[in-house]
Amino acid sequence: MTDFIDKLAANGVAFTLQDGRIIVEGDLRVGFTLEPEDPAIPCDYIPANLTVTNTLTILSGIHSIPAGMVARNLFISYSELESLPDNLTITGTLMANSSRLKYLPENLTVGRVLDIMCTDIAYLPDTLKVAGSMMLSNTRITTLPDNLHLEENLALEAMPLQALPKNLKVGHSLYLDAVARKRIPECISCPVINLVNPGNFENVASVTGIGGKPNRHVYALRTALGVRVCMYDLSVDPEIFGLLVRGIYDEPTAELLDKAAQQCIQRLEDMYASENAVRH
């Protein structure tokens, strides 16, 4: 502890000692770096009685984080950490993308954003609690818990996901490219559904390559919010799609997009009529 305090003082970091804890106001970077413009505390450990009021960034040379450490945000991307302590609470953001983590700890609580993209993590613990966003793209995760509710965003691209969970509720945006079962449940509740390739889904009607642009898709699907017509980050009721694109694009392009939307809606109606006929 004394050694760590001496290094804080030597590097001009403002801190106080309260009830046996080291309180650092603001941000703190710990570890070893070759970037002089981004200074850090040159140390190979984190004391258990450390509190960082904003962001703690872990750099090279740190191989573990002790239970008892407190930080509002924890950034461990590209670090050498392979695990985190159980019962860890991060009230802000846990940034662990491109880290060496292979699993998440038990009873992990994250208040805003959990970012574990580009890791070897293969499952989410039942005890995990995340309020804001989960960024899970490029992981090995195959299933998500039913009744998953997030206040902000959910990213599920480039991963071996088998299916979307039942009663999924996302407050803002869902980013998705494919699931093994090739269907999006109608019970999903999400204002913006951004599909990289809508043709990957059996119950999504789409028109691609609009105006000669290969990545310009318009698609329609049923959700808990009703039928949605989508393009990029636009996901709205069919009645207002045409009005919105006319406020964004020139008239010829808007006409093409509106026509594509009408085609998608008709295909979606035909799709569900055909499925209902088969059931009866």
Side-chain angles (χ1 to χ4, degrees):
M1 174 176 170
T2 302
D3 176 61
F4 192 84
I5 290 174
D6 289 343
K7 290 181 177 180
L8 290 177
N11 284 271
V13 176
F15 67 92
T16 58
L17 299 177
Q18 299 178 21
D19 300 323
R21 297 195 64 85
I22 307 169
I23 312 295
V24 174
E25 296 288 342
D27 301 331
L28 182 67
R29 291 160 51 88
V30 181
F32 299 94
T33 176
L34 299 177
E35 302 174 4
E37 66 276 10
D38 293 319
I41 304 303
C43 192
D44 60 0
Y45 72 96
I46 300 293
N49 62 339
L50 175 66
T51 294
V52 179
T53 62
N54 197 38
T55 300
L56 173 62
T57 301
I58 303 299
L59 303 174
S60 177
I62 306 292
H63 295 91
S64 65
I65 290 181
M69 182 280 303
V70 176
R72 182 176 185 273
N73 305 302
L74 178 62
F75 289 5
I76 64 170
S77 299
Y78 303 101
S79 72
E80 295 161 12
L81 289 174
E82 295 185 357
S83 63
L84 293 171
D86 290 342
N87 306 308
L88 177 64
T89 295
I90 300 296
T91 59
T93 294
L94 173 54
M95 187 71 68
N97 63 299
S98 302
S99 69
R100 299 186 184 182
L101 292 184
K102 293 180 172 57
Y103 62 90
L104 293 174
E106 292 296 323
N107 298 308
L108 171 64
T109 298
V110 179
R112 287 208 59 226
V113 179
L114 171 65
D115 186 343
I116 55 171
M117 295 194 298
C118 302
T119 67
D120 287 333
I121 292 174
Y123 72 95
L124 300 179
D126 293 338
T127 55
L128 173 66
K129 296 178 181 178
V130 179
S133 299
M134 290 204 298
M135 317 307 285
L136 309 180
S137 299
N138 288 283
T139 63
R140 296 169 53 205
I141 294 170
T142 58
T143 60
L144 296 174
D146 289 339
N147 305 306
L148 176 62
H149 291 178
L150 295 169
E151 296 173 358
E152 297 178 23
N153 304 312
L154 176 61
L156 303 173
E157 299 172 320
M159 55 190 292
L161 193 64
Q162 296 300 301
L164 288 174
K166 296 178 181 178
N167 302 314
L168 173 64
K169 186 175 182 179
V170 180
H172 192 269
S173 296
L174 169 66
Y175 300 91
L176 181 68
D177 57 2
V179 294
R181 294 183 185 175
K182 299 184 177 182
R183 294 187 69 86
I184 295 181
E186 291 182 38
C187 57
I188 185 174
S189 176
C190 179
V192 179
I193 301 176
N194 194 320
L195 303 181
V196 176
N197 188 349
N200 286 336
F201 299 90
E202 295 174 348
N203 60 339
V204 175
S206 63
V207 176
T208 63
I210 301 167
K213 295 183 179 292
N215 295 323
R216 182 182 282 168
H217 316 296
V218 171
Y219 49 97
L221 70 161
R222 288 185 177 182
T223 75
L225 302 177
V227 173
R228 310 294 284 180
V229 177
C230 312
M231 185 183 71
Y232 303 136
D233 284 334
L234 188 66
S235 182
V236 297
D237 294 334
E239 293 79 9
I240 64 173
F241 181 84
L243 294 174
L244 288 177
V245 294
R246 281 177 172 81
I248 300 172
Y249 298 93
D250 59 74
E251 186 60 26
T253 302
E255 285 288 344
L256 289 174
L257 295 173
D258 193 20
K259 181 179 178 181
Q262 297 305 316
Q263 292 174 342
C264 290
I265 294 167
Q266 186 59 56
R267 291 178 187 176
L268 189 68
E269 292 176 355
D270 294 343
M271 183 188 306
Y272 277 88
S274 177
E275 290 183 359
N276 289 333
V278 169
R279 291 193 190 101
H280 295 89

